[in-house]
Amino acid sequence: SSSSSYETIVRKAIQAIEEGKFEKVVPSRCKTISLPEDFDVFKVFHVLCERYAHAMVSVVSIPGQGIWMGAT
């Protein structure tokens, strides 16, 4: 399952830190969704900024590849 594979990634990250390979690791998960034609990236970005005022909110867009949006 998605949850168990994520947990495996976290376990491996912890092991790599303990072995001194990394100081910090930030595992993440992806969720692919279909968006309506009228989806407004800028509007959603502003909503995320307001909703998560103390988070780092980001948008990355690569033409032909997709848009990544997150808050952490």
Side-chain angles (χ1 to χ4, degrees), residues 27-46:
S28 65
R29 293 181 260 197
C30 289
K31 181 175 183 179
T32 302
I33 60 172
S34 297
L35 300 173
E37 287 293 321
D38 63 345
F39 181 79
D40 186 337
V41 172
F42 299 108
K43 182 178 179 181
V44 174
F45 177 76
H46 287 289

Side-chain angles (χ1 to χ4, degrees), residues 6 9-10 12-14 16-17 22-30 56 71-72:
Y6 183 75
I9 290 169
V10 171
K12 288 180 178 181
I14 292 169
I17 292 169
F22 301 105
E23 290 183 24
K24 179 179 179 179
V25 176
V26 183
S28 65
R29 293 181 260 197
C30 289
M56 160 55 180
T72 182

Side-chain angles (χ1 to χ4, degrees), residues 2 4-5 7-8 12-13 18-19 21 24-25 28 33 41-43 45 49 53 55 62-65 67 69:
S2 175
S4 64
S5 62
E7 290 170 3
T8 299
K12 288 180 178 181
E18 289 172 345
E19 292 172 356
K21 295 179 181 176
K24 179 179 179 179
V25 176
S28 65
I33 60 172
V41 172
F42 299 108
K43 182 178 179 181
F45 177 76
C49 288
I62 300 175
Q65 296 297 311
I67 297 172
M69 187 177 292

